[in-house]
Structures are given as C-alpha cells and as structure tokens.
Amino acid sequence: MSNDRYNPREAEPRWQRLWDEQGIFTTANADPRPKYYVLEMFPYPSGRIHMGHVRNYTMGDVVARYKRARGFSVLHPMGWDAFGMPAENAAMANRVHPKAWTYDNIAAMKKQLQSMGLSLDWKREIATCDPAYYKHQQRMFLDFLKAGLVERKQSKVNWDPVDQTVLANEQVIDGRGWRSGAPVESRELTQWFFKISRFSEDLLAALDGLERWPDKVRTMQRNWIGRSEGLLVRFALDTATTPNGEGELEIFTTRPDTLFGARFMALSPDHPLAAAAAKNNPALQAFIAECQRTGTAQELIDTAEKQGFDTGIRAVHPFDPSWTLPVYVANFILMDYGTGAIFGCPAHDQRDLDFVNKYGLGNTPVVCPEGQDPASFVITDVAYDGDGRLINSRFLDGMTIAAAKEEVAVRLERATLGNRAVAQRQVNFRLRDWGISRQRYWGCPIPIIHCEVCGVVPVPAKDLPVRLPDDIEFDRPGNPLDRHPTWKHVACPQCGGKARRETDTMDTFVDSSWYFARFTDPWNAEAPTDPAAANAWLPVDQYIGGIEHAILHLLYSRFFTRAMKVAGHVGIDEPFAGLFTQGMVVHETYRKADGSFASPAEVTIEADGEARRATLLIDGEPVEIGSIEKMSKSKRNTVDPDDIIASYGADTARWFMLSDSPPDRDVIWTEDGVQGAWRFVQRVWRLVATAAPHLPAPGTPMTANGHIGAKALRMIAHRTLADVSDALERLRFNTAIAKLYTFVGTLQEVVNDPIRHIETDPVYAAAAREAFEILVRLVAPMMPHLAEECWGALGQTGLVSQAPWPTVEPDLLVEDTMTLPVQVNGKKRADISVPRAARNSEIETAVLALDAVKRALDGKPPRKVIIVPQRIVNVVG
RNA sequence: GCGGACGUGGCGAAACUGGUAGACGCAAGGGACUUAAAAUCCCUCGAUGGCAACGUCGUGCGGGUUCGAGUCCCGCCGUCCGCACCA
C-alpha cells in the first residue's frame, strides 16, 4: 500500500513543461487527419482570470483533449480581446499607457492560463491590439466599403457630455453614463455603419440550420432580427390642411385588416411632416422638443404617458374618400421603424387605445372573437389582439383576420394614388445597421481620410495599417486622437492636399467578429486569411462561451463571416457550427453587521448540526450568510483561481468545475465541493499506486473469457468507457464524472479485499490492468496532470495526452442474464433474473410464479402480461 | 406586456426515444483504525406506518391520455432569463 500523497504543486508544472517541450499541442495546417476546431470565447485582458474563465476553458480543453484522443487534428487556439475602455480608464486613473497596461495584463493572464494545463496551441496566439492583427481588420473595412457593406450616415447616439464620447445602449444606466454619471444626451452624429441589415433575411433563415446551437440563443436572435410582414399604405392628405401642400402620408402596418377601425394617424416627432407642420406652430415645436428631450432612458420610456399633438392635418381613408382622420404627432412613434408614421386602430392595439382614451377619440371594434356577439362586443380599457372575424368593416365583414389582410392588400395594390399603387407589401426588420464609430483611443483606427476637396477617401492598401500613435495624453476627457497635435493631419492620398484622418476608432465588437478566422492562419502578413486554410478549418465545430453574448457578438460574427465571404476571405456563411453556452460560477455572500460584504477568504464556516454559521477570521465577529450570487467584485464573493491552483492544483479546480452541475447551468462554488474533488484526486492516485505493482506488464494479452471475476470487471470497464464517451460527445461533463466516480468505487473494491486476487490470478490481474488503463485515459481530458502521473505509474512510457482513446468491445456491453423489474398494475413489486435469450412465454411463466406477483394479484388470474424487451414486465390484473 | 426556459430528498443533481424515481457528489448520522486528532476505509440516509416481513404516499398544484407518466396533453401557481412603445 502506497502512502505517498500525490503532490500537484510538484507534478503539474513538470508535466506542463514536458508538454511544452515536446510541442504536442501545436497544430499543423497540413495535418491530413479529419479536423476538429474547438474554441472558447477569448478573454478581455483585465489582468486576472476568474472562475468563469476556469470553467469555460476547462470545458473547451476537455473537448480538445477528447477529440485529439479520438484521432482528430484539433485546432485549439487562444488570444486576447485586447482593445477597449478599461485600458483607457486605467490610463486616466493610474497614468499608465493603455498599451503597457494591456500587455502586462496579457502576460499575467497567460501565465495563469498556462497553470491550468490547457492543451492550447500558443503558437497561434493573437492580440487584437496588435497592428499585425488590426491591419487586416482595416483592410476588410475597406473591402466592405467597396462592396457596399459600409455606409456613413447621420444617426442618433447616446452622448456622454462629460466623457465626450458615444455610449452604447448597454452603457447607459437610468439615463446616465455608466462611468461619468452625467445625464446622457441624444445627439445626431455622422457615424460609420456596417450594413448588417443587408443580411437580415439570411441571418434569420440560416438560424434554422444551426442545429447544434441552443434553441434559446436562436430564439433570442430571431426576436432581435424581428421580421414582420406588412403593408406600406399611402394615405392621401387633404392638401388644404397641409403646411406645404403635401399630398400623401405613407405608413407601415402589420394589421391592414383593421383599417376600418382607424381613428387617427400618428407621426414620429422626428418625421419630416411633423417638422414642416411645426414650422409656423410654436406650440407644436415645443411639444416636439419635449419629446426629443425624453431621450433613451428605459425607465422614462416605460412610464411615459402616451401623448400627442393634433397637427390639424387631415388624412383620407383609402377606402372612403369622405372619411378623414386627424394626424397627430405622438411621442410613442419611432422614426427608425417602418416609415415613422402609423394609422391608429385603438380597439386592437393597446398603445393606440391608451392614446384615444386620453384624447377622447373613441374606438370601433372590427375583430370579434369567436363565440362573442358582435352587437355587444365593446372595447373600453383593454385592446383585443386575438383571433376572430371581421365586423363593422363593410366588404371585410365575416372574414378571418388572414383573409381580410389579403383582401385589403389585393385591393390597395390595385388602387392608385397619383400614378402609383396605394399599397405595397413589405417585410420589415427590427434589426438596425451596426454603428461602429467610437470616440475612443484604444481601438482599431478607421482607415479613412477626410479631404476638403475629395471628400471621404479610403487609406490606400499600401499605407495600412493606420497605426495608433503612442504619444498620447489622457489628462482630459474625450478622444485623445482628436486632439493629438500631428497624428490626424495628413496629405490626401488622391490630391495631395490638406486632409485629416478619421479620429474615431471601431467598436471592439468588430475585433472579436473575425478572430476565429484569423486563428486558422495567424502568421499571414499579406491578408486577413488564407482562404484555403480558413475553409479547411471553419466552421468552428464547438464554440463555448457565456450566454451574455447570445445576440451581439454571435450575430456580429455571423454578419462578418458573410461579409468576409463577399470580399473573398472565406467561403462559408456560418462561423460556428456548434455553440454551447455555459452557466456562471456563483457563490454565497457574507454580510457584516455594518452591511458591507466580507470575502470568502475572510470568513470561516462552522457546521453546527444542520445549521451553518459564519464568522470573521480576524476577530470572530459573526457574519450573515446571504444569498448565492454571481461572483463579483461588488459582492466580494469571488474566489481567486490562483489561490485554488496553489493549494489544490489545477486538476482539482478543473474537476470541480465540471462535476455537480450540468455545464449549461450555474455552478455553486463551495469549499466542501472543492474538498470532494481534492479527495477524489488523491483517491485515484492511491488506487493506481496501490494496484500498479501487482499488475502484469503493459500489453499483456487478455484471456478473460470464462473467468467470472475478470469478465465481470471487463464488462464494467467497457460499460463505463461507452457511457463516458457518450457523455463527453454530448458535453454532459457532470454525468461523465458520475460514471467515473462509480467506476473508481468498483476498482476500490477490486483493490480492497481481493488484493490477493490480483497478485495470484493472472487472468484477473490482466483484466484489472485493462480497467486501470481505461480509467486513466477516461480521466485524462479532465485531469490531465494526474492522468500523466498515473499513466507513468502503470508502466507506460509515452504521454497519456497522446494516447488514443480506448476502444469499446461491443460484446462486453451485452449482459448474459438480465434483471427485469416486475410491475403489477404499474407498481413495482419484484425483480426477476432471466437469461438474455429467454422467450416471452418463459418470462411470463416465471413472473406469474413469483410470490410478490401472486400476492398483488390476490389470487386472481392476470388479464394481460406486457413484456417490453430488455426493459420491464407489467402484469395487468 | 411579448417570448423562452425551468420547478425532483437537507443541498447540487441523475433518469437514453413513456418503462425500477432519487445514480453520483456534498452535508448529516453511525462504526473501524488511532493514546487522540487528521487522513483513510465500511455502513445508513425521500416521507410515513410496522418489532419485522412488508405496506402506503411521493418528481410545484389540479385534471387527462396510457398496461405504465418526472417524461406526453390541457388548465393553474411559482422562479429565472431575454426583449420591450417595433405599428
């Protein structure tokens, strides 16, 4: 019996060094074996990894190691999402250069990742802030510009007047800038846009083909893209009432069936007709200004009352020239959806109903639910948007909604106003173009020059990359590029005249929209990709990351891949064939008497029977054990991966991250759980070290047939092998681990009592060797260091990281006798053991002879006996 | 408001396409070893009745389909997530 403990502190760095020296995780593009590309979302170099990274990268590493053992040429790279605001904030706070800060962080985090024992190909490492990377991004910007996929236009943005920059919607909290706390203004700025909406239809349709994506993510993207079919309808205007004799107003509707329920028209405050009407109407001007001031804050939008202002303009109903409708400007109409104008049908739209109830415009129900008497169907406070038949609608009466929509469309397509059809079918999308301009220093420069004579001029390809200047000042808010003394001044590439550089940089989501493609040929100095290499590796077979990127990053990447295809850099549409979104790492919180939080490292927990009590280590002050929350600095409930790896080793951390909870759900980090994983590490080592001296040499042939004990052991080993393989294929790490616990329990029995068995019985010992070798190889993807150590102890000279996955012998999965549960009337009463080959009639006789069955049947004859092969017997009495 | 997911012991959870509910882990309790502790090993562990054999109940609640439902269907309740004035 070996009493030596396994010491990960000594063993883990030793194996990491050896793997590195032998370069066994380096991947060659020329490898002829079938490919497998596994990728985890690359980290932002904040300076330290957190437990979420440990979980994410462990999962990817298990897949990589498993697929490698299965004979695939595995691409498993890592890089850094290295541009972004935190580097600039650090520069402002600590007077460090963003570049130095970023590269220091990269070095620190790389060391941490390496201590996890990840099987990464570090030769392909990239950082998005490297000019060798962003050079190609700039080139693609120009490619896209040429292909008509980039546009420069005015748009409304969230402007932080203190930091003097545009903020993304998610950076605006309660109407204030997340950093400065200043009220955010709505500004019109000229911005660069990627025309993602060009691909709306395709991005939506292709979701159906992404079968290895979570339904949840696909649903979220579907909703985000937001396709709706409707009708563009041109209403004639009474020119006597319009400011400049305007003759028509175009609206978009998805409910043309409710046209006879119309009570008013409404314009967005940003609509040109609203502006025209306001020109000589100060009250309307004031109303519009008030609407625009409300801005983008969600809370305000939620609580804002529906408000409108009658412009005095009158529109004519398309089916009845004598029927006119008032045209309002209303605060709830968005300019950038549809045409920025609607017709209001209050009976069947809650917003319109709220509106008319405020202004006393009344309503007419035009859709009556089935089974309701139309005569008594009245709408007061709740609009009806369900199914039904048309009423109060002249020629549409009695039709279904679908039929009425079609009838209206057909009639209005035929009708004319001016010389054009009154209506036209249109598909609308919620998805807007992607504004990528940021007034920031630490980002990829947009390769454009503005010339006073030539206008907007692309930077010539030979002048790429447009490098960020290093000599910048962060003493003031705003964009340092814009106030740099020399950088932006440049000669126009076309006329040679005075010109200035674009000082905006790209949204950092652009950087992460193509890194997965760059990994396929990261050394390429000439082009973003080698299309041959990219097409060979892509799509990523398994992408793993957090659900928080369900829309933005994943949608942008899908767009970017299509745009890269247009520009000839790749030949595919979809970047990620398989997507897995892992859950968060959560931990209890500890609250001190003064309301502040204590960190797990500062408290000690005592179990007092059923109850648990927490006290501060430093002075024994009791602390309250609070709710379980996502690990965060503010709640101070974080656990530092460095500490865990230093005291337990990477294998323990990896194992714990995978056990207990299903990988897509949150996992609760507990000290007890880590202890359990640690115990298991030691247990495996003890078992292997104890058994190894008694096992025959590696490669001893198997002659187990006929040997009861050896056959049984082999069957368990192969059953475990089959189950674990299946679980890993489906990323069910927690169930794979449960099977391994059970298997180790079995091997414990083998070693415990009948240890003489292994020593004296060569057939049994050979089976035990096989079982141990299977165990070590099954454990290897999850605990690679321990597995190497055990592999050596078993007398193997190679690396288990390079050993092939064991092969299942199908014969060993088939039981000779099977134990069937026996039910009477659906309730389990007994078990019965029958030979595998038993006929149903034999089983039935044996079952009916059971005491428990007779008792349950109370002496009566059975009405029916159902035998489900291999599964169950149910006697119906 | 719209959309989606989920609800199983003290806790995290398992249960393939309807077929033994609670595998495995954690916690808890008991035992062995030890002067003692740690470590390790063994046993018990859904509720309830019974000395026991054994029985009854049990997968959020109420119905239904089925020989058989955690799983399928209908209606509720609750939790979480996403989107949100999208016409």
PDB file of all heavy atoms in Angstrom, chain A residues 68-81:
ATOM      1  N   ARG A  68      -8.765  14.939 -29.629  1.00  0.00           N
ATOM      2  CA  ARG A  68      -7.401  14.586 -30.023  1.00  0.00           C
ATOM      3  C   ARG A  68      -7.195  13.083 -29.840  1.00  0.00           C
ATOM      4  O   ARG A  68      -6.676  12.404 -30.724  1.00  0.00           O
ATOM      5  CB  ARG A  68      -6.403  15.377 -29.175  1.00  0.00           C
ATOM      6  CG  ARG A  68      -5.195  15.868 -29.944  1.00  0.00           C
ATOM      7  CD  ARG A  68      -4.300  16.708 -29.050  1.00  0.00           C
ATOM      8  NE  ARG A  68      -4.630  18.128 -29.107  1.00  0.00           N
ATOM      9  CZ  ARG A  68      -4.977  18.866 -28.067  1.00  0.00           C
ATOM     10  NH1 ARG A  68      -5.049  18.342 -26.849  1.00  0.00           N
ATOM     11  NH2 ARG A  68      -5.253  20.143 -28.227  1.00  0.00           N
ATOM     12  N   ALA A  69      -7.642  12.564 -28.688  1.00  0.00           N
ATOM     13  CA  ALA A  69      -7.503  11.127 -28.424  1.00  0.00           C
ATOM     14  C   ALA A  69      -8.300  10.310 -29.430  1.00  0.00           C
ATOM     15  O   ALA A  69      -7.956   9.179 -29.756  1.00  0.00           O
ATOM     16  CB  ALA A  69      -7.959  10.812 -27.002  1.00  0.00           C
ATOM     17  N   ARG A  70      -9.364  10.921 -29.933  1.00  0.00           N
ATOM     18  CA  ARG A  70     -10.205  10.232 -30.907  1.00  0.00           C
ATOM     19  C   ARG A  70      -9.633  10.303 -32.319  1.00  0.00           C
ATOM     20  O   ARG A  70     -10.284   9.897 -33.273  1.00  0.00           O
ATOM     21  CB  ARG A  70     -11.601  10.871 -30.895  1.00  0.00           C
ATOM     22  CG  ARG A  70     -12.451  10.330 -29.777  1.00  0.00           C
ATOM     23  CD  ARG A  70     -13.389   9.340 -30.366  1.00  0.00           C
ATOM     24  NE  ARG A  70     -13.449   8.107 -29.677  1.00  0.00           N
ATOM     25  CZ  ARG A  70     -14.593   7.515 -29.297  1.00  0.00           C
ATOM     26  NH1 ARG A  70     -15.726   8.106 -29.482  1.00  0.00           N
ATOM     27  NH2 ARG A  70     -14.568   6.335 -28.747  1.00  0.00           N
ATOM     28  N   GLY A  71      -8.450  10.872 -32.471  1.00  0.00           N
ATOM     29  CA  GLY A  71      -7.786  10.839 -33.770  1.00  0.00           C
ATOM     30  C   GLY A  71      -7.996  12.053 -34.650  1.00  0.00           C
ATOM     31  O   GLY A  71      -7.637  12.043 -35.822  1.00  0.00           O
ATOM     32  N   PHE A  72      -8.580  13.107 -34.100  1.00  0.00           N
ATOM     33  CA  PHE A  72      -8.772  14.311 -34.905  1.00  0.00           C
ATOM     34  C   PHE A  72      -7.537  15.204 -34.847  1.00  0.00           C
ATOM     35  O   PHE A  72      -6.793  15.201 -33.865  1.00  0.00           O
ATOM     36  CB  PHE A  72      -9.972  15.117 -34.392  1.00  0.00           C
ATOM     37  CG  PHE A  72     -11.302  14.484 -34.684  1.00  0.00           C
ATOM     38  CD1 PHE A  72     -11.872  13.601 -33.781  1.00  0.00           C
ATOM     39  CD2 PHE A  72     -11.963  14.766 -35.866  1.00  0.00           C
ATOM     40  CE1 PHE A  72     -13.097  13.000 -34.049  1.00  0.00           C
ATOM     41  CE2 PHE A  72     -13.192  14.175 -36.143  1.00  0.00           C
ATOM     42  CZ  PHE A  72     -13.757  13.284 -35.227  1.00  0.00           C
ATOM     43  N   SER A  73      -7.337  15.950 -35.904  1.00  0.00           N
ATOM     44  CA  SER A  73      -6.391  17.055 -35.871  1.00  0.00           C
ATOM     45  C   SER A  73      -7.141  18.230 -35.251  1.00  0.00           C
ATOM     46  O   SER A  73      -8.045  18.791 -35.861  1.00  0.00           O
ATOM     47  CB  SER A  73      -5.944  17.386 -37.300  1.00  0.00           C
ATOM     48  OG  SER A  73      -5.213  18.578 -37.297  1.00  0.00           O
ATOM     49  N   VAL A  74      -6.765  18.559 -34.023  1.00  0.00           N
ATOM     50  CA  VAL A  74      -7.557  19.520 -33.254  1.00  0.00           C
ATOM     51  C   VAL A  74      -6.912  20.904 -33.274  1.00  0.00           C
ATOM     52  O   VAL A  74      -5.724  21.044 -32.975  1.00  0.00           O
ATOM     53  CB  VAL A  74      -7.717  19.043 -31.797  1.00  0.00           C
ATOM     54  CG1 VAL A  74      -8.339  20.132 -30.929  1.00  0.00           C
ATOM     55  CG2 VAL A  74      -8.569  17.783 -31.746  1.00  0.00           C
ATOM     56  N   LEU A  75      -7.698  21.898 -33.641  1.00  0.00           N
ATOM     57  CA  LEU A  75      -7.255  23.292 -33.532  1.00  0.00           C
ATOM     58  C   LEU A  75      -7.874  23.878 -32.262  1.00  0.00           C
ATOM     59  O   LEU A  75      -9.096  23.922 -32.116  1.00  0.00           O
ATOM     60  CB  LEU A  75      -7.700  24.088 -34.763  1.00  0.00           C
ATOM     61  CG  LEU A  75      -7.329  25.588 -34.766  1.00  0.00           C
ATOM     62  CD1 LEU A  75      -5.833  25.783 -34.633  1.00  0.00           C
ATOM     63  CD2 LEU A  75      -7.847  26.253 -36.036  1.00  0.00           C
ATOM     64  N   HIS A  76      -7.009  24.280 -31.339  1.00  0.00           N
ATOM     65  CA  HIS A  76      -7.485  24.810 -30.057  1.00  0.00           C
ATOM     66  C   HIS A  76      -6.597  25.992 -29.676  1.00  0.00           C
ATOM     67  O   HIS A  76      -5.636  25.845 -28.935  1.00  0.00           O
ATOM     68  CB  HIS A  76      -7.425  23.692 -28.995  1.00  0.00           C
ATOM     69  CG  HIS A  76      -8.038  24.096 -27.672  1.00  0.00           C
ATOM     70  ND1 HIS A  76      -7.535  23.655 -26.471  1.00  0.00           N
ATOM     71  CD2 HIS A  76      -9.103  24.870 -27.366  1.00  0.00           C
ATOM     72  CE1 HIS A  76      -8.278  24.159 -25.481  1.00  0.00           C
ATOM     73  NE2 HIS A  76      -9.221  24.890 -25.998  1.00  0.00           N
ATOM     74  N   PRO A  77      -6.916  27.169 -30.200  1.00  0.00           N
ATOM     75  CA  PRO A  77      -6.058  28.343 -30.022  1.00  0.00           C
ATOM     76  C   PRO A  77      -6.570  29.286 -28.930  1.00  0.00           C
ATOM     77  O   PRO A  77      -7.663  29.102 -28.394  1.00  0.00           O
ATOM     78  CB  PRO A  77      -6.162  29.021 -31.384  1.00  0.00           C
ATOM     79  CG  PRO A  77      -7.559  28.719 -31.834  1.00  0.00           C
ATOM     80  CD  PRO A  77      -7.987  27.424 -31.182  1.00  0.00           C
ATOM     81  N   MET A  78      -5.782  30.278 -28.617  1.00  0.00           N
ATOM     82  CA  MET A  78      -6.162  31.269 -27.611  1.00  0.00           C
ATOM     83  C   MET A  78      -5.617  32.633 -27.997  1.00  0.00           C
ATOM     84  O   MET A  78      -4.553  32.728 -28.629  1.00  0.00           O
ATOM     85  CB  MET A  78      -5.620  30.841 -26.252  1.00  0.00           C
ATOM     86  CG  MET A  78      -5.976  31.722 -25.069  1.00  0.00           C
ATOM     87  SD  MET A  78      -7.737  32.015 -24.818  1.00  0.00           S
ATOM     88  CE  MET A  78      -8.269  30.421 -24.185  1.00  0.00           C
ATOM     89  N   GLY A  79      -6.360  33.666 -27.651  1.00  0.00           N
ATOM     90  CA  GLY A  79      -5.930  35.030 -27.955  1.00  0.00           C
ATOM     91  C   GLY A  79      -6.547  36.019 -26.985  1.00  0.00           C
ATOM     92  O   GLY A  79      -7.094  35.633 -25.955  1.00  0.00           O
ATOM     93  N   TRP A  80      -6.457  37.292 -27.339  1.00  0.00           N
ATOM     94  CA  TRP A  80      -6.825  38.352 -26.403  1.00  0.00           C
ATOM     95  C   TRP A  80      -7.689  39.404 -27.077  1.00  0.00           C
ATOM     96  O   TRP A  80      -7.312  39.959 -28.105  1.00  0.00           O
ATOM     97  CB  TRP A  80      -5.559  39.006 -25.845  1.00  0.00           C
ATOM     98  CG  TRP A  80      -4.631  37.972 -25.318  1.00  0.00           C
ATOM     99  CD1 TRP A  80      -3.560  37.421 -25.973  1.00  0.00           C
ATOM    100  CD2 TRP A  80      -4.725  37.291 -24.059  1.00  0.00           C
ATOM    101  NE1 TRP A  80      -2.985  36.453 -25.181  1.00  0.00           N
ATOM    102  CE2 TRP A  80      -3.676  36.371 -24.004  1.00  0.00           C
ATOM    103  CE3 TRP A  80      -5.594  37.403 -22.968  1.00  0.00           C
ATOM    104  CZ2 TRP A  80      -3.469  35.535 -22.910  1.00  0.00           C
ATOM    105  CZ3 TRP A  80      -5.389  36.581 -21.879  1.00  0.00           C
ATOM    106  CH2 TRP A  80      -4.336  35.667 -21.855  1.00  0.00           C
ATOM    107  N   ASP A  81      -8.814  39.667 -26.479  1.00  0.00           N
ATOM    108  CA  ASP A  81      -9.741  40.695 -26.966  1.00  0.00           C
ATOM    109  C   ASP A  81      -9.269  42.010 -26.357  1.00  0.00           C
ATOM    110  O   ASP A  81      -9.831  42.503 -25.384  1.00  0.00           O
ATOM    111  CB  ASP A  81     -11.155  40.334 -26.504  1.00  0.00           C
ATOM    112  CG  ASP A  81     -12.209  41.178 -27.181  1.00  0.00           C
ATOM    113  OD1 ASP A  81     -11.870  41.907 -28.131  1.00  0.00           O
ATOM    114  OD2 ASP A  81     -13.369  41.112 -26.754  1.00  0.00           O
TER     115      ASP A  81
END
